[in-house]
Amino acid sequence: MKTENIDNNLNQNKFSIFYKKNKTKILIFLLSLPVILIIFFGYNFYNEKKNTRISNQFNEANILLENDRKQDSKKILISLINEKHLFYSPLSLNVIVENGLIENQDSLLELFDKILNIKSLDKETKHLYRFKKATIFSNQAKENEMLKTLNPIINSKSIWKENAIKFLEVYFLQKGDFLKAKEYRDLLKQL
């Protein structure tokens, strides 16, 4: 019994000493925990609201497009691209391209670059948009622009690599540069 009391007193003293030494740290932790939880849940709530808003805007743009209100739809789709949303920004660019909503090639090129500059977009999706950009602008793009666009795909292990090489082969054949076309044909054989 006496040993038990001594153990209890010793444990209480250890706790008391620990508490006195770390009183400030313990209080800061206990006070900051609710703040951290509020920030965490608030951030998640904000993201959910933002995703819902962006989704609704995308749906509205599609409805406007169906009702032949192309200019209103285009404004919304461009604003969605500027949001740099992982899903709806690339999808908005697809709708613009598929429906020919922007005829000015420089403006369209700028939108492609905005998609390619979304940092959280995965590499394969970026490679897909690089490839789309190259195919859309191949008639007017200079050789160095085409290579600058497609080389990141060609120099990677992307699923789009073979398509990019084939595309450049055809691109150079159409330009009459048979030597460069052969280089890409040979590169294709090495895959």
Side-chain angles (χ1 to χ4, degrees):
M1 186 110 169
K2 212 171 193 184
T3 316
E4 195 174 296
N5 283 340
I6 293 173
D7 285 342
N8 282 339
N9 285 340
L10 187 60
N11 284 338
Q12 287 176 347
N13 282 340
K14 284 182 181 178
F15 178 75
S16 185
I17 292 169
F18 174 79
Y19 179 75
K20 286 178 185 176
K21 267 186 171 179
N22 297 302
K23 183 178 182 180
T24 307
K25 291 177 185 176
I26 292 170
L27 287 175
I28 289 172
F29 173 75
L30 290 175
L31 292 175
S32 63
L33 186 62
V35 173
I36 291 170
L37 290 174
I38 289 170
I39 290 171
F40 175 75
F41 289 115
Y43 181 73
N44 283 341
F45 179 76
Y46 168 77
N47 278 338
E48 284 181 31
K49 286 287 189 189
K50 181 180 176 185
N51 286 337
T52 301
R53 177 184 55 80
I54 289 173
S55 172
N56 289 338
Q57 285 179 319
F58 182 78
N59 291 334
E60 180 184 354
N62 281 317
I63 291 169
L64 290 169
L65 193 59
E66 287 175 9
N67 292 323
D68 207 31
R69 293 180 53 195
K70 292 181 179 183
Q71 288 302 316
D72 295 331
S73 177
K74 179 175 85 170
K75 286 179 187 176
I76 293 172
L77 293 168
I78 290 172
S79 74
L80 291 175
I81 291 171
N82 290 328
E83 289 276 349
K84 295 185 177 184
H85 190 273
L86 214 55
F87 179 74
Y88 287 105
S89 294
L91 196 57
S92 296
L93 180 59
N94 288 344
V95 172
I96 287 172
V97 169
E98 288 170 9
N99 292 286
L101 297 179
I102 295 182
E103 293 177 12
N104 182 313
Q105 296 295 307
D106 291 334
S107 297
L108 193 56
L109 187 61
E110 185 180 312
L111 294 177
F112 268 96
D113 289 339
K114 285 183 181 183
I115 297 300
L116 291 171
N117 287 324
I118 298 175
K119 292 180 181 175
S120 53
L121 203 61
D122 67 277
K123 283 185 180 182
E124 289 302 326
T125 304
K126 282 187 179 186
H127 289 317
L128 170 63
Y129 279 88
R130 284 183 176 282
F131 186 69
K132 282 184 176 187
K133 178 181 173 183
T135 59
I136 290 172
F137 298 105
S138 64
N139 291 336
Q140 69 187 44
K142 295 178 184 172
E143 178 182 324
N144 61 346
E145 292 170 354
M146 291 297 292
L147 293 175
K148 182 180 175 185
T149 301
L150 292 176
N151 273 340
I153 301 171
I154 293 170
N155 295 328
S156 71
K157 294 181 180 182
S158 173
I159 60 173
W160 302 104
K161 181 176 182 168
E162 185 176 342
N163 292 332
I165 294 170
K166 286 178 185 177
F167 182 81
L168 282 174
E169 178 188 1
V170 171
Y171 173 79
F172 285 116
L173 282 173
Q174 289 176 342
K175 294 258 184 210
D177 193 339
F178 300 111
L179 188 60
K180 286 188 180 175
K182 184 182 180 319
E183 284 178 32
Y184 286 99
R185 188 176 319 114
D186 292 343
L187 185 59
L188 196 57
K189 290 177 183 176
Q190 294 174 10
L191 293 181

